[in-house]
Amino acid sequence: MQVLARNLAQRVSRSQVISRYAYSTQRVRDIGQPTPASHPHVTIFYSILQNAFIMLSDGSPLLHQLMAEGEVTPGIRIEEYIGRRKKLAELLPQNSLAIVSSAPMKMMTDVVPYTFRQEADYLYLTGCQQPGGVAVLSSEHGLCMFMPESTPNDIAWQGEVAGVDAASKVFKAEQAYPISKLPEILSDMIRSSSKVFHNDQTASQKYTNLDEFKKSASLGKVKSLSSFTHELRLIKSPAELKLMRESASIACQGLLKTMLHSKGYPDEGILVAKVEYECRIRGAQRMAFNPVVGGGSNASVIHYSRNDQRIKDGDLVLLDMGCELHGYVSDLTRTWPPCGKFSSLQEELYDLILETNKESIKLCKPGTTIRQLNTYSTDMLCDGLMKMGILKNRRLYHQLNPTSIGHYLGMDVHDSSSVGYDRPLVPGSVITIEPGVYIPSSFNCSERFQGIGIRIEDEVLITETGHEVLTGSMPKEIKHIETLLNNHCHENAAQSFASFSS
């Protein structure tokens, strides 16, 4: 490793090194989240697949700045945030007001908080990744941000947070006030508005307790904002799609490494730790949700979360996971036998799920709806389960799979949830395709099928001409999975991954 580092250092030009060190000596104001000034760090890309540094054509390493000038959050420029706010203001009825509260800080104990995750609408419109704020948007006022006020004690314990100055200078709010001014100023805004829209899922008592808000609510003037924001978030910009591709790539690499790890460590708890580790070291800030690692009959529990059982030899394991990269999530599922070999029974059922996955993906294109995809996949699975003798009555299918074929994906795992599944898909939207079967141990079928759960999930971007599978590099064919598990150790997993994805 020392030799690699020395060789790498020789390849980085003197000017690059000097410029980076010179930059880091500046005194930079901390606003509680990364900025181009505080996080100009160079990332030297290391290929997990090739076990080597990625080099440019001239032999120098591929360098990447975490945040470029003009970005409010990694990958998203201030112009995009301003454009989002402009589009929302245009969608709102005349003389109306949109109130969006940041997510609250939730406590694990009296002094220990849970890891904070920003509310998606607030992040989408402001770029602020911190708690304590309320944003108000209207055609008349533009963006008005009410920001938390920190005491020296707060800063000592929790660090700096974005305040009024950051709201104006970083997030480019037209108006900015300390949160203590909210009752007076927001009450006047509500009083002069004909309608008020807010994100009711994270409504804050900072404004819901105001007399003017209560009065508007009693008159039926208060509505949910999600029908507008979810509409905007449905179609991803090129910058958003770049982050989603990167998030999907990290998830694929993390899951591949975990799959290889499973043969030597067939334990749910170890595998959930492994997949999180592999995603985090590749740049993910967190997992998109608590991974489902269900071995044996645990795989038939759709949102199994205990992840505390040893996986028996010969059993399948279902791993449903995703990670979050700078506000954008991935969602991916694979099912495999850690022992390295599918039984003939497992293979028969797996093939049905795999074919349903592939045939459903083929239908993904503009104009198709998730509802139509669900109907198609349900018919395909019903026919196969009837033929195998697992299902004797089609009306009982919901007992084996009560889920939809997929959902929208973006800043949240179930993104744009207010947009129905009857909406024709459009270019720029991302959905999941995740057929599965979950046979309870008590289900009335042959005992050999009882307790089996299988799901194969991919992310699909709808394009102008059809679709792009964002998780297409992750193996799912039986022959590829068995070859990986039996013939490739951790050191040469990279070459296997590259060959299967080509």
Side-chain angles (χ1 to χ4, degrees), residues 58 62 95 101 104 144 173 197 199 215 267 315 424 442:
D58 64 357
L62 179 59
N95 194 35
S101 177
C144 176
F197 298 88
N199 59 342
K215 181 179 178 180
D267 182 279
D315 278 352
S442 59

Side-chain angles (χ1 to χ4, degrees), residues 232-250:
L232 293 175
R233 284 166 46 191
L234 182 65
I235 302 174
K236 275 64 179 178
S237 70
E240 290 179 297
L241 289 176
K242 184 175 185 294
L243 289 171
M244 291 200 69
R245 287 189 179 95
E246 291 175 358
S247 180
S249 176
I250 291 172

Side-chain angles (χ1 to χ4, degrees), residues 135-404:
V136 181
L137 184 72
S138 68
S139 296
E140 180 184 355
H141 301 285
L143 176 65
C144 176
M145 295 183 72
F146 295 94
M147 305 300 287
E149 302 163 271
S150 296
T151 66
N153 187 63
D154 294 331
I155 295 172
W157 282 91
Q158 301 166 9
E160 296 281 357
V161 297
V164 172
D165 286 347
S168 300
K169 295 177 182 179
V170 178
F171 308 123
K172 303 301 181 183
E174 282 77 15
Q175 300 180 50
Y177 303 97
I179 198 72
S180 59
K181 295 287 187 180
L182 181 144
E184 172 191 349
I185 297 173
L186 185 54
S187 291
D188 288 341
M189 290 181 174
I190 294 173
R191 189 179 301 113
S192 60
S193 299
S194 58
K195 288 186 179 180
V196 176
F197 298 88
H198 73 133
N199 59 342
D200 46 1
Q201 295 297 312
T202 54
S204 169
Q205 291 183 354
K206 293 171 184 175
Y207 68 83
T208 59
N209 283 343
L210 296 177
D211 289 339
E212 288 298 330
F213 185 89
K214 292 178 180 178
K215 181 179 178 180
S216 292
S218 67
L219 295 173
K221 294 181 180 180
V222 175
K223 307 290 183 183
S224 173
L225 183 65
S226 62
S227 60
F228 298 109
T229 54
H230 289 193
E231 194 75 31
L232 293 175
R233 284 166 46 191
L234 182 65
I235 302 174
K236 275 64 179 178
S237 70
E240 290 179 297
L241 289 176
K242 184 175 185 294
L243 289 171
M244 291 200 69
R245 287 189 179 95
E246 291 175 358
S247 180
S249 176
I250 291 172
C252 286
Q253 294 180 58
L255 183 51
L256 174 72
K257 297 287 284 187
T258 304
M259 182 182 289
L260 292 167
H261 198 70
S262 69
K263 191 167 187 180
Y265 302 91
D267 182 279
E268 294 172 354
I270 292 176
L271 297 186
V272 75
K274 176 68 172 176
V275 76
E276 181 167 357
Y277 166 78
E278 296 293 344
C279 289
R280 292 292 295 269
I281 65 167
R282 287 168 174 79
Q285 284 73 54
R286 60 179 66 87
M287 302 309 288
F289 51 91
N290 186 42
V292 174
V293 185
S297 61
N298 293 333
S300 66
V301 180
I302 298 170
H303 282 171
Y304 174 76
S305 61
R306 284 176 52 185
N307 303 330
D308 62 1
Q309 293 290 316
R310 182 81 176 172
I311 302 165
K312 297 177 183 176
D313 188 46
D315 278 352
L316 298 174
V317 60
L318 182 157
L319 204 162
D320 181 2
M321 55 76 67
C323 62
E324 182 174 333
L325 181 70
H326 305 311
Y328 291 84
V329 302
S330 47
D331 192 4
L332 172 67
T333 306
R334 290 295 184 264
T335 308
W336 72 93
C339 68
K341 179 68 176 176
F342 286 86
S343 70
S344 58
L345 181 147
Q346 292 168 347
E347 186 170 335
E348 184 181 9
L349 193 53
Y350 186 94
D351 277 337
L352 172 62
I353 307 302
L354 179 61
E355 287 306 306
T356 304
N357 170 278
K358 294 194 292 187
E359 292 301 316
S360 298
I361 289 175
K362 289 179 183 178
L363 298 177
C364 292
K365 59 183 180 181
T368 304
T369 68
I370 292 179
R371 186 86 61 197
Q372 290 171 335
L373 293 170
N374 188 65
T375 299
Y376 175 84
S377 63
T378 297
D379 289 342
M380 191 170 178
L381 288 174
C382 273
D383 290 343
L385 294 170
M386 293 281 288
K387 187 179 295 184
M388 294 170 64
I390 297 174
L391 194 62
K392 298 178 177 62
N393 188 323
R394 297 177 76 91
R395 288 178 298 178
L396 299 177
Y397 170 77
H398 71 281
Q399 295 184 21
L400 302 182
N401 187 350
T403 70
S404 170

Side-chain angles (χ1 to χ4, degrees), residues 454-491:
I454 298 174
R455 174 162 66 253
I456 304 172
E457 178 181 19
D458 284 299
E459 298 176 29
V460 181
L461 164 65
I462 305 302
T463 66
E464 294 284 351
T465 57
H467 64 264
E468 174 190 343
V469 183
L470 302 184
T471 50
S473 62
M474 186 65 205
K476 57 186 176 184
E477 299 287 344
I478 287 178
K479 63 180 180 179
H480 291 165
I481 292 173
E482 291 185 342
T483 299
L484 276 169
L485 291 171
N486 294 315
N487 300 330
H488 300 272
C489 62
H490 295 285
E491 286 72 22

